Amino acid sequence: MKNIFKKTVVTGLVLSAFAMGCKKSTLDTVNPNAQTTQTFWQNSSDAVKGINAVYGSLIIDGSYMRFSPIVENTRGDDATSYSPWDQIYNMGKFNMQSTGDGVLFSWTAYYQGILRANEVLKYVPAINMDAELKKRVLGQAYFLRGLYYFHLADFYKNVPMPLVPAASSADYFQKQQPQDVVWAQVISDFKAAEGMLPTTYAGLSPDGQIGRATKGAAAAYLGKTYLFTKKYTEAAAEFKSVIDMGLYSLVPNYYDNFFANNENNAESIFEVQFSRDAGGTDLGWGGDPSSGWGRTSARAITFGAASFGFTDVQPTPALYNEYLQEKTTSGGIDPRLDVTMYYNKPGEKLYNQDFATRYAGSSSLNALFCHKYENGDSGQADEYDWRSGINERLMRYADVLLMYAECLNELGTTNDAYQYIQMVRNRVGLPNLATVKPGMSQTEMREQIGHERFLEFSLEGHRFDDIRRWGWLQDATKLAWLKARDPEFNTYTPGKEYLPIPLTEVQTNVGLVQNTGY
C-alpha cells in the first residue's frame, strides 16, 4: 500500500474531502463548485480512488498514526506511562475523562473510515466497470469497515452503527447499538470480505499494490472476532483456513516483524503502510485532508527512548522479568527481549550511541525503553522529526497460530494445541513445551497461552484485549496479580475497561448513553 499512497495521494485526498461531509452544515447544502457523490462515482478509476481513501483513515492521528497504539498498549501490564501529557498518562491508569482529546481522536478516525467505506459500498455497485475489480474494491470496503467497527466495539463497547451514508442531517444522529450487535456486524463484514477478496494481488491490475486486504486477512480477523465472542468452533475453522492456505510462515528472525528492513514479509497478514517517501512532509493529524500530509507515523517519537523521543510509553519491569523466566535450548536469554526493549546491558546501543554512556549519571540508566517500532538501529539521530516510516503490523501469522492453539484448548483438545505453540517457540529457540510441560490440563494450558502471548506480542497492542476477554479484571485473584506487577491496575474500577464515549458526542446525540464508570 506504500505504492497506493505514492500514486494516489492527491486524488485520494480530494475524495476524502467530500466523503467526510457528515456534519449538518455540509449535508443540507451543496456547493455548486465542489465535487459531490453524484458527480464523482463514474468509473473504475473513481472506485479505486474511493477505496484508497478508506485506507487513508488508517494513517491519521486517532488511528495508527499515533493514538490507536497508545490506547491499545498503555492499558496492558506490558507497558506503562509516565507521560507529562494527561491524555496518555491517564489512558494507562484507567482514568480517562470523557472531555479528553484522547478518547475523541480514535472515535473520529474510525467513523471517518466507516463513512468512506459506506460511500464505496453504496456507489461502486452501480458503476459500469470490470466485474472482478469491482468485487475486489467492495471486498476491501467490507474488510476495512469491519476493522473500524472492530476497534470501536473494542475501545468503546456500545456504539452507533451507520451502514449507509447519511442522506440528510436527520440521519446523522444514529442510535447506540449493543456491543453484541456491533460484533455481529463485524462478523458479517469480514465474512463478506472473505468471499470477495483474492488471496494475493500479485499480477492484478490496476490495483496490484502490496498492502491491500486479502482473503487471508479477512479470515484471520473473522476468526479473531469469533474468538473475542467465544465462538471457538467458528474461530478455529477460520484460523485453520488461514494455515491451510500455505501462503504464510514465520520469518526466521523475530526482529524482521517490527522495523523497516523487511516489511510485508511472509508472516505479515495485514499491516498499516507508512512511508517517509510518500506524500508531503506535514503531519496528518486528521480533519480536512491536505495534499501536504505525509504518510508517516508518530508512534516512534511517542514511544521513543529518553532524549531520542518523548518516552510517553515504556515497557514494564514485569515484562522484562518474564522474558528471563525461561532459557533457550542453548542457555541464552529469550531473543525477543532485546527486540522489544532497550535496556542497560553490555554493548547496548541506540541511535548509534552507547546506552550506558548516553545515560550515565541519570535516572534513565536503569530504565526500560521501547525498541519495537523505533528507528534506533537505522542510522537516524533521533525521532524528533515525527516522521517514522515503519509499518504497523496488525495481524501476524504468529497470532493466528496462537489463537488457533487457544481455540483447540477451549474446545477440549489441549494436546493438539502444543504443536502450534511450539512453532512460535521454535523460532526463538525455546525448548519443546511438550517435553518441559507435558500433559497440561485445560486450565494450565490457558495460563501457558497467556504467558506465550505476553512475550510474543508485547507492545503490539494485544495484551489488554487478552486480559479483558479472559475475564481477569473480574477475577479477584488475577486482578490482585495484575496490580502487584503493574501498579497502574490499582486505579482500575469496573467499567473502565472501556473508554468513555466523547462528551461532545453524548451532548449532541440523544441516542447515546455514557459507558459505566464515567
Side-chain angles (χ1 to χ4, degrees):
M1 207 165 72
K2 292 188 177 185
N3 289 335
I4 293 173
F5 290 136
K6 287 179 181 177
K7 294 178 180 178
T8 63
V9 58
V10 176
T11 53
L13 290 172
V14 169
L15 170 63
S16 62
F18 78 78
M20 288 172 62
C22 61
K23 295 181 180 179
K24 181 175 181 179
S25 60
T26 58
L27 282 168
D28 291 337
T29 61
V30 176
N31 179 350
N33 299 312
Q35 195 165 41
T36 68
T37 54
Q38 287 72 35
T39 62
F40 178 80
W41 302 97
Q42 301 298 316
N43 52 47
S44 61
S45 177
D46 294 341
V48 173
K49 292 171 187 175
I51 195 60
N52 290 349
V54 188
Y55 282 100
S57 294
L58 288 171
I59 62 170
I60 60 175
D61 185 24
S63 192
Y64 280 92
M65 183 265 208
R66 181 176 61 156
F67 236 85
S68 286
I70 290 171
V71 175
E72 292 174 336
N73 284 285
T74 53
R75 297 179 295 166
D77 56 339
D78 55 338
T80 189
S81 176
Y82 302 102
S83 174
W85 187 21
D86 64 335
Q87 296 302 292
I88 301 179
Y89 179 86
N90 286 327
M91 185 73 71
K93 293 165 183 60
F94 306 98
N95 195 32
M96 289 301 294
Q97 303 300 309
S98 62
T99 53
D101 290 337
V103 301
L104 180 62
F105 290 154
S106 292
W107 178 279
T108 302
Y110 291 131
Y111 276 114
Q112 179 200 77
I114 288 165
L115 173 65
R116 295 175 178 182
N118 285 342
E119 292 265 351
V120 171
L121 291 170
K122 178 175 180 179
Y123 294 106
V124 168
I127 295 177
N128 183 16
M129 58 185 287
D130 178 80
E132 288 302 310
L133 176 57
K134 179 185 289 189
K135 182 179 177 181
R136 295 196 297 272
V137 166
L138 294 174
Q140 291 171 80
Y142 279 117
F143 174 83
L144 291 168
R145 187 174 71 176
L147 182 62
Y148 293 139
Y149 272 128
F150 183 101
H151 285 311
L152 285 167
D154 188 47
F155 288 4
Y156 301 97
K157 192 176 182 180
N158 305 323
V159 297
M161 199 174 69
L163 299 177
V164 295
S168 69
S169 59
D171 299 327
Y172 179 58
F173 299 108
Q174 297 278 324
K175 290 184 178 179
Q176 196 171 24
Q177 298 296 325
Q179 187 185 44
D180 60 345
V181 173
V182 183
W183 284 135
Q185 183 61 47
V186 172
I187 288 169
S188 176
D189 280 350
F190 286 146
K191 276 185 177 179
E194 184 181 21
M196 303 175 81
L197 291 173
T199 57
T200 177
Y201 288 83
L204 297 178
S205 178
D207 58 336
Q209 297 91 358
I210 292 172
R212 294 187 182 275
T214 61
K215 182 181 293 291
Y221 266 101
L222 178 56
K224 183 174 181 177
T225 311
Y226 280 136
L227 180 64
F228 273 40
T229 52
K230 302 189 184 306
K231 297 178 180 178
Y232 300 113
T233 299
E234 294 88 341
E238 294 300 326
F239 297 139
K240 188 62 164 59
S241 75
V242 176
I243 294 169
D244 289 345
M245 285 179 183
L247 295 173
Y248 306 104
S249 60
L250 301 179
V251 293
N253 190 348
Y254 182 74
Y255 179 98
D256 286 345
N257 287 307
F258 311 106
F259 305 96
N261 62 300
N262 195 9
E263 295 176 331
N264 300 299
N265 59 42
E267 187 168 341
S268 176
I269 297 177
F270 188 72
E271 61 189 77
V272 178
Q273 310 288 312
F274 291 105
S275 174
R276 290 175 62 88
D277 301 323
T281 58
D282 298 336
L283 299 176
W285 295 119
D288 292 337
S290 165
S291 60
W293 281 3
R295 299 297 178 264
T296 50
S297 165
R299 173 176 174 139
I301 188 171
T302 304
F303 288 54
S307 77
F308 299 100
F310 293 155
T311 325
D312 288 317
V313 182
Q314 294 176 252
T316 61
L319 177 62
Y320 174 87
N321 291 330
E322 196 149 340
Y323 276 119
L324 303 180
Q325 286 183 6
E326 188 177 15
K327 297 288 187 181
T328 65
T329 54
S330 61
I333 295 173
D334 188 327
R336 292 174 295 191
L337 171 61
D338 288 354
V339 175
T340 299
M341 63 184 80
Y342 292 116
Y343 60 100
N344 188 11
K345 69 176 188 292
E348 179 78 300
K349 287 186 176 295
L350 71 170
Y351 302 91
N352 294 323
Q353 297 190 39
D354 181 74
F355 187 103
T357 302
R358 181 65 185 84
Y359 294 123
S362 75
S363 59
S364 295
L365 183 63
N366 295 315
L368 304 172
F369 300 116
C370 298
H371 185 187
K372 279 183 180 178
Y373 291 110
E374 299 297 318
N375 293 285
D377 306 343
S378 68
Q380 285 187 210
D382 53 49
E383 303 289 355
Y384 289 120
D385 69 355
W386 290 74
R387 301 185 67 248
S388 176
I390 299 174
N391 289 358
E392 187 90 13
R393 280 73 160 182
L394 300 195
M395 179 65 71
R396 294 197 282 120
Y397 186 57
D399 199 5
V400 169
L401 293 174
L402 291 186
M403 288 190 291
Y404 184 51
E406 183 177 341
C407 290
L408 294 174
N409 185 53
E410 294 302 324
L411 293 170
T413 55
T414 299
N415 285 339
D416 292 339
Y418 276 95
Q419 60 179 307
Y420 298 99
I421 296 172
Q422 194 57 42
M423 291 178 188
V424 177
R425 290 170 60 88
N426 282 341
R427 170 167 56 189
V428 291
L430 294 180
N432 192 333
L433 189 61
T435 300
V436 296
K437 290 188 177 182
M440 280 189 281
S441 67
Q442 185 184 60
T443 299
E444 290 169 336
M445 181 60 84
R446 284 188 188 123
E447 292 297 309
Q448 186 67 33
I449 290 172
H451 167 76
E452 301 289 349
R453 290 186 61 80
F454 187 57
L455 299 186
E456 178 67 19
F457 305 116
S458 58
L459 305 182
E460 294 182 55
H462 297 313
R463 179 61 171 181
F464 184 72
D465 281 343
D466 289 344
I467 287 171
R468 183 175 54 198
R469 69 188 179 83
W470 288 334
W472 287 5
L473 297 173
Q474 289 74 45
D475 183 321
T477 301
K478 278 293 187 184
L479 183 56
W481 177 75
L482 288 168
K483 290 178 178 179
R485 58 198 263 121
D486 183 355
E488 289 182 315
F489 280 88
N490 286 317
T491 50
Y492 165 76
T493 57
K496 295 296 183 72
E497 60 267 32
Y498 294 100
L499 301 183
I501 295 173
L503 181 61
T504 53
E505 299 295 316
V506 176
Q507 289 176 331
T508 57
N509 185 352
V510 296
L512 295 181
V513 176
Q514 187 57 271
N515 285 333
T516 302
Y518 297 100

